[in-house]
Amino acid sequence: MGGGARELAGYLAALSGWVAALAAAALPQWRQSSYAGDAIITAVGLHEGLWMSCAAQSTGQVQCRLHDSLLSLDVHIQTSRALMVISLLLGFFGIIVSVVGMKCTKVGEEDPVTKSRIAVAGGVLFVLSGLCTLAAVSLYATQVTYEFFRESSVPINARYEFGSALFIGWGAASLTMLGGSLLCCSCPAKARQGQQYYRQSQPSMAQEYV
């Protein structure tokens, strides 16, 4: 795979991961009511996310409510919120920087070394964005797992388990870090240019000595 094709593939993968992370952050299905246990309750399904909680009736009606106060939220929700916001911001800047540094764009063609370095910077931003998404989703999943398995008077079918947004977040983190890694492979070819210049200058130097 050539350098330009590798950059384009990395950019598309990272962009897809950023869009998936945006969707995961907005979805309320970070955790959902569990249907484990003997007495299964299916009349109402509860979902909770970073920004709102929803109740889905068996008739198909869904009612959602935003979280009342930021300060009253649990620590893991506040931390996951902050990490997702940072991830989306880093990914947004990575999108802009990568477009400038990619070989398939016309910006900065007169200096290919600097252009390659800009592409690497965009890749680093994408990798950091993916790490923030991974940390946010994993932290939330760890808390859900802890609350599900800890000893409590709450029955199992009234507890929460993983929601679909967590799996979307894990996939988004993987795509973003993969795309960022491919962009980071666009290292400046300064040494290679020096070798080419040396080879081109050798014949002229030999002619002068003759």
Side-chain angles (χ1 to χ4, degrees):
M1 184 182 292
R6 183 173 58 245
E7 285 182 353
L8 183 58
Y11 180 78
L12 292 178
L15 180 61
S16 301
W18 184 82
V19 173
L22 180 61
L27 286 174
Q29 287 88 6
W30 280 62
R31 66 175 185 173
Q32 62 187 15
S33 54
S34 175
Y35 297 109
D38 298 330
I40 301 177
I41 302 174
T42 58
V44 179
L46 301 178
H47 306 274
E48 287 191 9
L50 299 180
W51 314 99
M52 65 181 69
S53 58
C54 298
Q57 306 289 337
S58 58
T59 58
Q61 184 179 6
V62 179
Q63 296 179 345
C64 295
R65 185 187 67 178
L66 294 174
H67 293 316
D68 296 331
S69 174
L70 174 64
L71 299 179
S72 64
L73 293 175
D74 294 334
V75 176
H76 72 281
I77 298 180
Q78 297 184 27
T79 306
S80 297
R81 268 188 179 186
L83 287 172
M84 288 303 297
V85 170
I86 294 173
S87 171
L88 294 176
L89 289 176
L90 288 173
F92 176 75
F93 290 118
I95 292 172
I96 298 175
V97 173
S98 299
V99 168
V100 176
M102 290 173 59
K103 296 178 182 178
C104 57
T105 59
K106 300 295 184 180
V107 182
E109 284 185 327
E110 62 277 358
D111 192 354
V113 175
T114 303
K115 191 174 177 68
S116 298
R117 289 174 178 172
I118 294 175
V120 171
V124 171
L125 289 174
F126 277 127
V127 171
L128 293 176
S129 174
L131 289 175
C132 288
T133 302
L134 180 63
V137 175
S138 300
L139 175 64
Y140 197 97
T142 301
Q143 184 65 26
V144 172
T145 304
Y146 169 75
E147 292 179 356
F148 185 87
F149 287 105
R150 72 176 178 180
E151 295 184 2
S152 175
S153 58
V154 180
I156 294 179
N157 55 9
R159 301 180 187 181
Y160 289 92
E161 60 185 20
F162 293 170
S164 58
L166 293 182
F167 300 100
I168 295 175
W170 277 315
S174 302
L175 278 175
T176 307
M177 288 190 291
L178 174 62
S181 301
L182 291 176
L183 286 171
C184 287
C185 295
S186 304
C187 297
K190 193 172 184 179
R192 188 167 47 194
Q193 289 178 355
Q195 291 178 357
Q196 292 177 356
Y197 175 78
Y198 177 75
R199 291 175 182 174
Q200 291 175 359
S201 62
Q202 274 186 337
S204 59
M205 295 175 62
Q207 291 176 3
E208 290 179 2
Y209 283 111
V210 172

